Amino acid sequence: MPGIRKLIVLSAFNRDSEGGLTPAFEPRRMKQEDTAVYVAQTLVNDYAGVVVWTRESNVAIGEAGPSVILFQSGQVPEFE
């Protein structure tokens, strides 16, 4: 559909010295859901938490839909 874009993001988190979650790296924009989930699954033993989420947006009218978690392992911060 014209104007509809799908954002797919992979993020990973570590625990800091006080036990809080901090990003392990900048969120990575991914091209395909299945690839993002596969990569996230390979990272679960290296980080305190890993998440892949997606959101569709209609750029023509400036609206974004809700975030949908495709994969989550371990501890990740809450987000909208």
Side-chain angles (χ1 to χ4, degrees):
M1 246 172 136
I4 301 291
R5 292 200 179 147
K6 187 176 223 177
L7 176 66
I8 305 164
V9 179
L10 164 68
S11 297
F13 301 90
N14 286 318
R15 291 242 174 240
D16 62 21
S17 60
E18 290 147 12
L21 292 170
T22 59
F25 48 78
E26 290 293 318
R28 296 179 185 165
R29 187 169 184 170
M30 306 295 286
K31 292 184 180 184
Q32 295 182 345
E33 291 179 2
D34 58 345
T35 302
V37 170
Y38 174 78
V39 172
Q41 290 171 333
T42 68
L43 299 176
V44 298
N45 293 322
D46 298 326
Y47 300 100
V50 181
V51 64
V52 175
W53 59 273
T54 185
R55 177 183 295 164
E56 288 188 355
S57 62
N58 187 328
V59 294
I61 59 175
E63 289 186 359
S67 298
V68 176
I69 295 175
L70 301 176
F71 176 84
Q72 179 178 336
S73 178
Q75 305 260 324
V76 299
E78 290 186 34
F79 63 94
E80 296 178 14

